[in-house]
Amino acid sequence: MPNWISRGLAWLAAALVGVVYGTAGTIAHSLMCGVIPVGMIVAAIACAALLIAVRALTHDRGATVVTALGMLGMVMIISGPGPGGSVIVPNTPIGQIWIYLVAGIALLVIAWPNLKRLPRRTTADGP
């Protein structure tokens, strides 16, 4: 199988998994236990773990971008009013934090430098 086909299939799978995590996290983000936003904490950890895993396992920043786009796309689609007028992510501080949190996590994981490509420091011989 040519390299571009396997890469395209990997990106398609990454986008679908991002869609699933974005949907699940968006639905669960509003779960509160008293004043603690348990749903948002668990959903943010899950989304961050997915993005880190995709970046670490594929060694491909593009796959991570596609995963984040699937995740953010579902967050944005679900945030709007549905056909019946219902909104899953209301315009509240918790809803706004969730939208920016997902975008920030995605940006951080995508922008993280590849540590294998950084030059290694060597110790200089003493005088």
Side-chain angles (χ1 to χ4, degrees), residues 14 17 21 45-60 63-64 67 71 109:
V17 172
Y21 272 67
I45 290 171
C47 289
L50 172 68
L51 291 171
I52 291 168
V54 168
R55 176 86 191 267
L57 294 174
T58 62
H59 301 290
D60 184 13
T64 311
T67 306
M71 196 178 295
V109 173

Side-chain angles (χ1 to χ4, degrees), residues 19-29 43 78 98:
V19 164
V20 169
Y21 272 67
T23 303
T26 303
I27 291 171
H29 87 280
I78 293 176
W98 171 245

Side-chain angles (χ1 to χ4, degrees), residues 4 11 17 23 25 32 43 45 49 55-57 70-71 78 91-92 105 108 111 116 118 121 124 127:
W4 65 272
W11 283 16
V17 172
T23 303
M32 301 285 282
I45 290 171
R55 176 86 191 267
L57 294 174
M71 196 178 295
I78 293 176
N91 193 11
T92 62
I105 290 170
L108 181 67
K116 290 183 180 182
L118 293 177
R121 287 189 173 182

Side-chain angles (χ1 to χ4, degrees), residues 56-100:
L57 294 174
T58 62
H59 301 290
D60 184 13
R61 201 179 300 259
T64 311
V65 169
V66 171
T67 306
L69 286 176
M71 196 178 295
L72 289 167
M74 284 312 294
V75 169
M76 291 298 125
I77 289 171
I78 293 176
S79 296
S86 63
V87 177
I88 294 177
V89 181
N91 193 11
T92 62
I94 294 293
Q96 293 294 319
I97 290 170
W98 171 245
I99 291 170
Y100 289 117

